[in-house]
Structures are given as C-alpha cells and as structure tokens.
Amino acid sequence: MQTSITTTEANKLLKSGRISQQIGCSLIKGFQIIKIRDYSEKKLKHRVKIIKAAAAFRYRYTDLLGKRHVIKIGEYPAMKPQQAAEIALEWRVKIKNGEPDPLEQRKELAAQKRTQAQEEAQNQYRNTGRYFEVYRQHLLDNYRTGHEVANKIKSFSFLFDRDMDKITPQDMDSWYREKQKAGLKRQSLTGYLGAFKAMLNFAAGTKKGDQNNNPVIDFNPLRDYSLPRPNNKERELMEQHTKALEAKRDMFSDTVREGIMNGLNGYAEHIKAQRRRSRKHGKDHLPDLDQVAYPHWFIPFAHIARLTGMRPSDIRALRWEQINHNQFNGHTTLEFTPQKTKDKGEKPVKVRFPVDGELLDILNKWQSQQGNPATGFLFQSSRTGGQIERKAYLKHWAHVLDIGKLPEDLDFYSFRHNFISSLVKRNVPLIKIARLVGHTNTDMIVRYYLREDEEDMLEVATLAADGWGQTKQTSAAKAAGGE
C-alpha cells in the first residue's frame, strides 16, 4: 500500500521531533503519524529501565452525523507505515460505503472482550476445587466449626477437577457405595453430604441464612438429591444407634446419680491426697488443697454441667462478665450464646439462666478461690491463659466414672440429656425448657425427649386386658340370670 509516510520520515520524527509533532499522508486523507513518547531512562532499585521513543499511526475522519473522530491504528516502530496505511484505507472505504463506524466497532469489540474476560474469571470458580478454597476461607472466617465442615467437604475431593454444575446424582451414589465399603456409618455420610450440598447452595446463592451476592452457578445440581435407601443391614444398624442414643437421653437412675456424686467427691479426695503426699515429700511450696473448696477445676466444671445442662463447649467458653447481678431485684443470671448457634443467623439464641441455690454457691466459691476475678474465663488454661482445651475434661471424667463404678460409655454430655429429661418428666412447659437449654423452639425436645413413661404405658396397655376381664364377668352374669 502506497503512503507518503516513509520509514525514513518516521525515524526522523522519533529521533528529533517534539512530542505531539505529526506528519500527514498526502495519499490517504486523514492518515497521519504523531510522536507520543521520547527516549528516556528510569532508574529503578537495581537497574535502569530504558523507555524507547515511540509514535502512533492515527486516522482522522468524520462520521455520518458530521462528528470528527481520531482513532489510533498502532504504534511505530512496532507497526510499519505500509501496514498502518492499509488499515487506514480499509476504514476510509468502509466509512464511505456507510458501514459501521470503526471507532464504535472498536469500542464494541473492547466491551465484548471485557465481558468475555469477566465470564472467564467467573467461570474459573465453577471448578469445584477452586471454589472450595473460596468457600473454605468463608467458613473459617465466619463459622466456629469452619475447619470441621471443610474437612467433611474434602471427602468429595475426587470431584475437585469437575465444574460444580456438572456434578450428578450418580457421582453421589458412587461416593456413597465407596464410603460404605470403607465402613463409614450412614449418619456420618449424611453429615458429609450436607456440608457438600451447603457449599453448592452457597455457590448458587441459595444457602439459607448465609447470603452470597456473587453466585457462580445457576442452581445446586444436588438440590433434590438424597442418599440411596438404606438396606436391611443399614436399617438394623440405624435402629441400634437410635436405641443407644435414646438410652443416653433418658434420666439418670438413682444409682447413676449416686455413682456420679461419689465419683466427683472421690476424685476430689484423690487429688487432695496426692497433694498431701507431694507436700510431705519436699514440695511444701505447693498450695494446700485441703484449704480450698475445689482441688481441681473439673469439679465445679462438672457441677455446672449437672445443674444447668450446658454443653461442655459452652462451659469452656464461660466468662465471669457473663454472670450478671441485678441490684434492683437481687436476681443473678448467667447470660450466654451457645457456641453451637453463635454463628447462625443475625440474631443467635441467647440464654438467660437463673443462678440461685447450689449453682450460685458453687460459682461464688470458685470465683473466690480464683481471687475474685471480674473478667476472663471461668476455666482458664494455665498454659495459654485462654480457654482450656476442647477435650481436657474427658480424662478427668474417666477418673470419676472409675471411682463411682459407673459404665465407661456414660458420656459427660449425658448431664445435658438428664437435665432436659428431668424437666420434661416434671411437666415443665417445653418452651421454658427450650429457652433454658438454648433451643430456638421445642422441636428437638419433642423429637428426642418427649417419650412416654414406661410405667404409664404399662398402665394404658393393661386397660385392654381389663376390658376382656369385664367381658367375661358380663357373660357369666347373663348366664347365671338365664338359669
């Protein structure tokens, strides 16, 4: 393509021309070259950056509405004059023929590229593994059990190279059968599946109570999926599991209660005896535990569980500032948000537990023994200064079970079950029980604790037999009358 702008002229413009100086083409109207940058050196930390001189080929034209435009074709020396001239002439012909404005075409193309880039950036997070990293951080930042939930989702790592919207129910069935063979219980697999489906709901922007304004998939492909029907063996195992849980949710028998109290008292005495021996054998610098109410933090820890039905995680998190005394009515309350529901919804459940009688006495004695702190954890780790470790209470509970001659499988959590079952047995309104134990409603109590007393049911069952007895007496009387 012929143009009056030569390479020699372009080089001369770069070398000695001033910024914004331009040379027009006499053969193609509106085609020109303009200097846009001079040669320079920029000193960086460890080197010198050379900035080369440059010019730009441009095309000036008037659109169909009579508006003048200038559009950049390319830079020199990267683009040669002949190449730029070809493009300029092509645009000139198109404009003359009434074809779309090249500037508008360029803007439209740029917009298309931006949209495509945004879609590609968005689509990369459709990948299950990539999105898991995003969701994992969301869990860790917002949920107390985030690490635990993330580990459940890792059970589906075989899908991490797949896009989320391409996951199928058949994938889940295969996963279920594989985990079954590995010996995992259906209850555990239900929890794993729930965690995975929650991630997919979040990715689709439909996770209940957890708003996501940047969904990356249109819908959760497993929204309506549930695990395959359990076979006979699974049903049998589930029934055994349910019976075991029901047994643990029952009230403690008098024998168990007596064993627990004997175990706690015996463990306290055991710890005191150990300290006496230590002080007797050269360690008299150690505090005399016979002079305090509780020789170990686990003793008041267990009594609080016994008297409140609080979860171990909630007792661990208790702080002195949560015990509030109302000077106007003389009432003391323990106010806390259960750890299990702390990160659920905008207004999580708040428990206001009345503190009186034995519970008040225990708290007062323990606070006095600790030097009457007004703030900080009730049960503070001597090593870290923070909460005691999550399972620190278990080894002490094992000692109590041993000393109290109690079953080894008696869970510490059973204090909570006993507390709820005792109140249900005494016909306390379920909504009041729910408030005391930190439930949002009575559903859980109705489902797991509202069971008919066996003696009452026996009485009901005998009514049918009594009916047969009355029938026999009536028949006998009629026969006697007929004689």
Side-chain angles (χ1 to χ4, degrees):
M1 173 57 60
Q2 292 296 319
T3 173
S4 64
I5 301 174
T6 64
T7 303
T8 302
E9 287 180 318
N11 287 337
K12 185 177 179 181
L13 180 66
L14 287 186
K15 186 175 180 181
S16 56
R18 66 183 183 279
I19 300 295
S20 297
Q21 183 178 341
Q22 58 189 20
I23 301 172
C25 177
S26 59
L27 299 177
I28 304 174
K29 187 179 178 180
F31 179 50
Q32 62 183 216
I33 184 171
I34 181 171
K35 188 171 181 178
I36 58 174
R37 188 170 63 244
D38 254 328
Y39 169 89
S40 63
E41 295 181 356
K42 186 176 181 181
K43 293 183 179 180
L44 302 178
K45 189 173 181 180
H46 299 294
R47 62 187 179 91
V48 174
K49 182 179 181 181
I50 304 298
I51 301 175
K52 295 181 179 181
F57 294 108
R58 303 192 307 182
Y59 179 61
R60 298 182 61 172
Y61 67 98
T62 302
D63 65 19
L64 297 176
L65 298 176
K67 189 174 181 180
R68 294 183 65 81
H69 299 286
V70 178
I71 183 170
K72 181 179 176 182
I73 300 173
E75 287 193 9
Y76 180 81
M79 178 180 282
K80 300 306 178 186
Q82 292 77 14
Q83 294 174 292
E86 287 181 8
I87 296 173
L89 187 60
E90 182 184 346
W91 286 352
R92 180 177 173 79
V93 172
K94 285 183 176 180
I95 292 171
K96 228 175 179 182
N97 294 335
E99 294 187 30
D101 190 322
L103 184 59
E104 292 303 318
Q105 282 185 316
R106 179 173 285 187
K107 288 180 179 177
E108 184 179 343
L109 183 60
Q112 289 175 355
K113 287 183 177 179
R114 285 195 299 272
T115 301
Q116 183 179 356
Q118 290 171 354
E119 288 178 354
E120 288 176 355
Q122 187 83 339
N123 288 342
Q124 68 175 318
Y125 288 106
R126 289 187 179 185
N127 174 267
T128 307
R130 185 72 182 269
Y131 197 77
F132 169 69
E133 294 304 323
V134 175
Y135 186 65
R136 178 178 175 276
Q137 193 58 51
H138 173 75
L139 291 174
L140 296 177
D141 291 343
N142 296 282
Y143 290 89
R144 181 182 58 86
T145 58
H147 184 72
E148 179 184 338
V149 175
N151 282 339
K152 289 181 179 179
I153 297 174
K154 285 181 182 178
S155 175
F156 301 90
S157 59
F158 70 100
L159 294 170
F160 279 11
D161 61 347
R162 185 100 59 86
D163 284 355
M164 287 182 286
D165 53 359
K166 299 296 189 297
I167 295 172
T168 66
Q170 289 75 21
D171 294 322
M172 295 298 100
D173 287 347
S174 298
W175 166 80
Y176 178 63
R177 286 191 293 269
E178 181 183 331
K179 294 301 179 182
Q180 264 190 319
K181 290 177 183 177
L184 270 73
K185 293 181 179 178
R186 186 182 176 92
Q187 291 87 347
S188 299
L189 298 180
T190 300
Y192 291 174
L193 177 62
F196 189 56
K197 288 176 72 172
M199 183 181 80
L200 298 180
N201 282 332
F202 187 77
T206 56
K207 185 181 178 186
K208 188 177 179 181
D210 195 353
Q211 185 66 33
N212 174 21
N213 295 319
N214 296 297
V216 295
I217 55 176
D218 295 330
F219 65 95
N220 175 1
L222 301 180
R223 179 183 56 194
D224 301 321
Y225 176 80
S226 56
L227 292 178
R229 235 180 117 149
N231 56 35
N232 291 335
K233 184 178 180 181
E234 283 181 309
R235 288 182 187 280
E236 185 178 338
L237 291 173
M238 289 167 63
E239 287 177 4
Q240 292 174 1
H241 180 71
T242 300
K243 287 179 180 178
L245 288 179
E246 286 180 352
K248 289 182 179 181
R249 290 190 180 108
D250 276 335
M251 286 173 54
F252 290 145
S253 66
D254 291 340
T255 302
V256 170
R257 287 196 189 92
E258 184 179 355
I260 289 173
M261 297 308 293
N262 288 341
L264 288 171
N265 293 331
Y267 188 45
E269 183 54 40
H270 171 72
I271 294 172
K272 289 180 181 180
Q274 281 185 325
R275 179 56 57 87
R276 290 190 208 107
R277 288 193 293 271
S278 296
R279 285 170 56 84
K280 185 177 179 180
H281 293 88
K283 295 183 179 180
D284 54 355
H285 62 283
L286 296 174
D288 183 359
L289 296 183
D290 286 314
Q291 305 304 315
V292 297
Y294 304 111
H296 195 278
W297 62 263
F298 176 75
I299 309 301
F301 187 96
H303 284 305
I304 291 174
R306 175 175 66 86
L307 296 170
T308 66
M310 289 176 67
R311 300 179 181 92
S313 59
D314 293 330
I315 303 176
R316 285 177 56 242
L318 280 180
R319 302 180 65 90
W320 290 112
E321 51 265 42
Q322 291 174 293
I323 301 175
N324 300 313
H325 180 72
N326 189 321
Q327 59 180 335
F328 299 105
N329 59 24
H331 294 168
T332 300
T333 55
L334 180 59
E335 299 183 6
F336 66 96
T337 297
Q339 298 294 302
K340 190 174 183 179
T341 60
K342 204 167 190 176
D343 46 24
K344 291 185 178 179
E346 295 182 2
K347 292 183 178 180
V349 178
K350 191 169 186 178
V351 177
R352 291 178 174 84
F353 198 99
V355 178
D356 197 10
E358 186 179 1
L359 178 60
L360 180 61
D361 183 57
I362 289 169
L363 291 174
N364 285 338
K365 286 179 179 178
W366 180 240
Q367 188 173 27
S368 174
Q369 185 174 324
Q370 299 302 302
N372 291 312
T375 60
F377 293 109
L378 267 69
F379 303 102
Q380 185 172 286
S381 169
S382 58
R383 183 174 59 85
T384 66
Q387 290 187 28
I388 56 174
E389 293 181 10
R390 189 167 63 94
K391 296 184 178 181
Y393 65 93
L394 291 178
K395 65 177 182 179
H396 306 292
W397 178 239
H399 288 303
V400 170
L401 295 179
D402 182 52
I403 295 171
K405 296 181 173 54
L406 294 163
E408 292 182 1
D409 61 348
L410 180 62
D411 290 340
F412 187 88
Y413 202 90
S414 294
F415 278 125
R416 180 173 177 81
H417 298 316
N418 177 74
F419 182 85
I420 297 174
S421 295
S422 297
L423 296 180
V424 171
K425 176 73 174 177
R426 288 169 173 75
N427 295 318
V428 175
L430 300 187
I431 189 62
K432 290 186 176 181
I433 302 175
R435 287 174 182 169
L436 274 181
V437 298
H439 287 175
T440 54
N441 52 50
T442 62
D443 291 352
M444 291 286 287
I445 297 174
V446 170
R447 182 176 180 182
Y448 293 115
Y449 296 95
L450 195 61
R451 297 192 299 277
E452 300 293 342
D453 187 273
E454 291 183 3
E455 292 182 4
D456 293 341
M457 294 305 290
L458 177 61
E459 183 179 340
V460 172
T462 56
L463 291 177
D466 290 345
W468 282 106
Q470 292 173 2
T471 301
K472 290 179 181 179
Q473 293 175 5
T474 304
S475 299
K478 286 183 177 180
E483 292 176 356

